[in-house]
Amino acid sequence: MLDIQNISKTFNPGTVNAKTAISGLSLHLNEGDFITIIGSNGAGKSTLFNAIAGVFYIDEGSIVLAGKDITFLPEHKRSRSIGRLFQDPLKGTAPNMTIEENLALAYLRNVKTNSFSRISKKDKAFFQEKLALLEMGLENRMRQPVGLLSGGQRQALTLLMATVVPPKLLLLDEHTAALDPGTAEKVLALTRDIVAREHITCLMITHNMKQALELGNRTFLMADGNIVLDVEGEERSHLTVEDLLARFKAGTGQELDNDRILLSE
Amino acid sequence: MLYILQTALELGFLYALVAMALFLSYRVLDIADLTTDGGFVLGAAVSVTMAAAGHPILAVPAALIAGMAAGFVTAFLQTRLGVPSILAGIVTNTGLYTINLMIMGWSANVSLLKTDTLFTLFHNTGIGGDWYEVVLAAFVTILAGILLVLFLKTRLGLSIRATGDNMDMVRASSINPAFTITVGLCISNALTALSGAMVGQYQNTADINGGTGIVVIGLACLIIGETILGRRTIIKGAIASVTGSIIYRLIYAIVLYTKIVPVQGLRLITAIVVALAIAFPTIKEWFAFQKRKMAASRKGGN
Ligand SMILES: Nc1ncnc2c1ncn2[C@@H]1O[C@H](COP(=O)(O)OP(=O)(O)O)[C@@H](O)[C@H]1O
Ligand SMILES: [Mg+2]
């Protein structure tokens, strides 16, 4: 499904600020995998996502998504098959456009439509139905600008936008970290539902260790620009947060250091 | 008196197209596009030259295409070659000076003498009576406004609006910002050139310096209109462009008529009004901060 071979990325090469954020990383995902990723601050988790999404081109290695080499494909073309959510709920929606206009933009992704066509009645009904699934009452506010919504509502809408045309790959970069606990819980539940319903292959960065072990079917631990631990199946089901921390220390010789990391809830 | 109103309406409608162009580039796309001054003259030069050659109607699409080309150059510099957007506009604007002179046969001024223009042709139909110029100007501007609003609700239009509204989101969706910026600037500069084309035939002349300061005046019109109508929706933006432009021309006419300030002074006043209006949020913040500082020092003093 996703095949990453030996990729590296150095920022500001050849200067005093040179920083190798990803070094020789490889990974292979199967169709329908739901991977959780944890790691220290600056381990290169977001950089890995940016490399996959095409925010920049990698220095070395190759990225193949669903059999297609996307290593040199520009970002907006990759976005056709890759959905993305960021920590900041303001990043994923256009505040001065209405809810239905935002959804219409997301809907453009794969659907082959005429550039000059307008939002049809059928589209609206479809959006309304999808919005109702969020259970936030947004289906009755479709003509309001998104800027009026709360952070949690905007993040839920962004999630819907990223999946309204199911992407081949969904990248979630701590997408609930900036929300209050109740809302975060809700958005997480929605994520779980949508990913399961649409059978989306998904990578999720989280700072919640417990969540990392509970959600999904496989967990990566990242440090210094690489994956240092990759657990799944039987082994993963018996793993506790303490085991994980111990394995991290054994593997890297350092404590898992992340100022936001949550060891339990 | 009625004559003043009539002239203000005519000029108001014709120049409203520039305000509309700036609504698209400055408000919707969030780009300060300084191609405007040269693009306006470009429209006038193409239009008057074509009318002089006996093609007053064909002059309009020709001017639109010329304007689009100018917008394309600015967009290309900016999106493909990494020239900062303000500089890209200034560069195109500077180059246009020569192009415009070339179109006008290397003379700084071209006039229409006894040739048909859109306005004389329209006059012959008898529609609008004595107000035929107002009717034609209003028709062209309102039609352009309606088309613009309709366009901004299409999928491509939505993509253009998103580009100006949230670049992060656009990068994460399948929209290519280089493409949407290019389309947006082509359309906005076509509108500017259309304004130049209409004004040129209306005044029977094109002047190489006829566009100087048009961009600031256009912004002033937009800001006046938005102050009255608010700036939430696309439709309001289009109506604000037209309303603001007419009000500006009324003020201009009153100043011209009553001579309360010398007409030459109007440019300076316009510039100050635009600067203040754009600076308004910063000024407001500064005052709020000073108030807080005063309150804090008062509290600390006790
Ligand atoms: N655009 C950039 N320019 C320079 N350095 C960067 C850039 N993006 C990330 N980095 C650096 O790369 C390292 C990894 O960052 P990141 O992937 O954001 O870490 P995290 O695992 O916390 O998400 C950090 O040291 C960060 O400072
Ligand atoms: Mg990060």
Side-chain angles (χ1 to χ4, degrees):
Chain A
M1 178 65 209
L2 177 67
D3 243 311
I4 295 184
Q5 289 293 333
N6 207 18
I7 61 167
S8 297
K9 174 69 190 179
T10 301
F11 290 110
N12 310 311
T15 72
V16 284
N17 290 321
K19 166 80 199 176
T20 301
I22 298 276
S23 62
L25 184 150
S26 299
L27 65 81
H28 175 85
L29 300 194
N30 294 314
E31 184 106 38
D33 264 353
F34 186 157
I35 312 273
T36 55
I37 302 177
I38 38 181
S40 314
N41 285 327
K45 303 179 297 292
S46 299
T47 306
L48 171 64
F49 277 20
N50 289 337
I52 297 172
V55 175
F56 47 74
Y57 296 110
I58 47 177
D59 303 332
E60 278 169 55
S62 69
I63 305 173
V64 175
L65 178 64
K68 188 176 169 201
D69 190 333
I70 59 167
T71 314
F72 299 110
L73 202 65
E75 185 177 12
H76 70 269
K77 291 202 174 142
R78 295 191 206 187
S79 303
R80 285 178 183 276
S81 36
I82 300 176
R84 260 187 287 173
L85 261 75
F86 306 98
Q87 184 176 336
D88 182 353
L90 305 186
K91 273 193 172 180
T93 43
N96 291 308
M97 296 169 67
T98 64
I99 294 178
E100 74 183 21
E101 285 171 342
N102 270 275
L103 274 166
L105 275 176
Y107 198 48
L108 273 179
R109 202 209 291 271
N110 263 355
V111 186
K112 277 269 159 261
T113 42
N114 179 347
S115 312
F116 294 101
S117 68
R118 294 149 58 87
I119 306 174
S120 69
K121 279 225 168 66
K122 207 174 119 219
D123 292 342
K124 283 185 198 180
F126 175 68
F127 297 157
Q128 192 156 28
E129 184 188 313
K130 289 282 178 187
L131 281 166
L133 295 176
L134 302 181
E135 295 175 354
M136 290 179 165
L138 297 185
E139 64 276 17
N140 303 318
R141 301 173 62 182
M142 296 208 335
R143 309 201 63 161
Q144 287 182 17
V146 167
L148 298 178
L149 306 185
S150 70
Q153 289 170 329
R154 276 181 83 162
Q155 199 67 318
L157 179 62
T158 310
L159 178 65
L160 183 56
M161 286 167 60
T163 54
V164 66
V165 175
K168 293 199 175 92
L169 183 67
L170 182 63
L171 303 175
L172 307 169
D173 190 347
E174 306 201 31
H175 70 304
T176 61
L179 309 177
D180 66 79
T183 318
E185 192 63 40
K186 177 124 204 235
V187 171
L188 203 65
L190 283 168
T191 308
R192 199 196 305 238
D193 289 351
I194 293 178
V195 168
R197 184 172 352 112
E198 311 284 355
H199 308 290
I200 299 169
T201 309
C202 176
L203 282 163
M204 178 174 107
I205 300 172
T206 173
H207 59 271
N208 184 326
M209 301 280 267
K210 196 150 169 277
Q211 205 176 74
L213 289 174
E214 276 174 12
L215 273 171
N217 63 323
R218 191 172 163 194
T219 298
F220 293 160
L221 247 169
M222 282 188 69
D224 297 330
N226 220 319
I227 296 170
V228 292
L229 191 68
D230 172 1
V231 284
E232 61 182 321
E234 183 75 2
E235 183 190 9
R236 182 173 182 263
S237 60
H238 298 302
L239 216 58
T240 63
V241 171
E242 289 71 33
D243 296 337
L244 205 57
L245 287 172
R247 303 242 339 227
F248 183 83
K249 197 168 176 196
T252 63
Q254 359 170 327
E255 295 285 344
L256 180 63
D257 157 39
N258 184 326
D259 52 13
R260 285 196 319 268
I261 206 105
L262 289 176
L263 298 180
S264 52
E265 289 304 318
Chain B
M1 205 54 220
L2 196 62
Y3 172 73
I4 292 178
L5 176 70
Q6 204 170 347
T7 313
L9 279 175
E10 286 157 12
L11 291 173
F13 275 116
L14 294 177
Y15 281 98
L17 293 164
V18 176
M20 229 180 261
L22 291 168
F23 168 67
L24 179 57
S25 59
Y26 187 66
R27 280 287 182 251
V28 174
L29 270 176
D30 199 19
I31 290 173
D33 175 18
L34 297 185
T35 323
T36 309
D37 289 7
F40 181 85
V41 178
L42 176 67
V46 168
S47 164
V48 170
T49 308
M50 295 266 301
H55 301 291
I57 296 177
L58 265 185
V60 174
L64 285 171
I65 291 170
M68 272 187 202
F72 181 83
V73 172
T74 301
F76 189 82
L77 289 171
Q78 175 179 340
T79 58
R80 313 283 174 177
L81 300 181
V83 181
S85 65
I86 293 196
L87 204 53
I90 294 174
V91 167
T92 310
N93 190 31
T94 305
L96 276 176
Y97 187 87
T98 307
I99 305 271
N100 291 340
L101 270 179
M102 198 165 73
I103 294 170
M104 288 156 63
W106 302 107
S107 89
N109 194 294
V110 179
S111 293
L112 295 173
L113 301 163
K114 295 208 183 310
T115 36
D116 271 336
T117 66
L118 286 172
F119 290 90
T120 61
L121 290 176
F122 188 70
H123 189 41
N124 294 341
T125 65
I127 301 170
D130 285 345
W131 292 72
Y132 73 97
E133 285 164 307
V134 177
V135 172
L136 181 59
F139 172 75
V140 171
T141 298
I142 292 171
L143 180 67
I146 291 173
L147 289 177
L148 179 65
V149 170
L150 288 177
F151 171 71
L152 287 174
K153 303 245 176 204
T154 64
R155 312 222 167 220
L156 180 55
L158 291 180
S159 310
I160 291 175
R161 286 164 59 196
T163 307
D165 202 14
N166 188 348
M167 203 45 134
D168 286 321
M169 166 202 176
V170 163
R171 289 204 189 96
S173 40
S174 58
I175 302 166
N176 179 3
F179 176 70
T180 49
I181 288 174
T182 304
V183 174
L185 288 186
C186 282
I187 294 176
S188 79
N189 282 288
L191 285 170
T192 303
L194 177 61
S195 181
M198 295 301 293
V199 170
Q201 292 201 33
Y202 168 79
Q203 293 177 334
N204 290 309
T205 179
D207 189 298
I208 192 68
N209 295 316
T212 315
I214 279 276
V215 65
V216 177
I217 294 174
L219 273 179
C221 297
L222 183 60
I223 290 167
I224 293 170
E226 285 176 344
T227 308
I228 296 170
L229 290 162
R231 45 184 274 204
R232 276 242 71 98
T233 62
I234 293 295
I235 296 177
K236 271 191 186 157
I239 299 175
S241 309
V242 180
T243 318
S245 179
I246 291 172
I247 292 172
Y248 181 88
R249 291 294 154 182
L250 274 173
I251 296 171
Y252 186 89
I254 291 167
V255 169
L256 196 65
Y257 188 72
T258 59
K259 301 197 172 57
I260 20 176
V261 285
V263 173
Q264 287 82 355
L266 209 58
R267 278 280 165 98
L268 180 59
I269 296 172
T270 307
I272 293 171
V273 167
V274 168
L276 284 179
I278 295 176
F280 183 68
T282 312
I283 296 171
K284 211 167 85 179
E285 216 167 89
W286 186 82
F287 271 110
F289 179 66
Q290 295 305 324
K291 224 169 101 186
R292 237 188 72 200
K293 235 167 62 176
M294 296 256 278
S297 73
R298 224 177 285 130
K299 219 193 262 167
N302 285 337

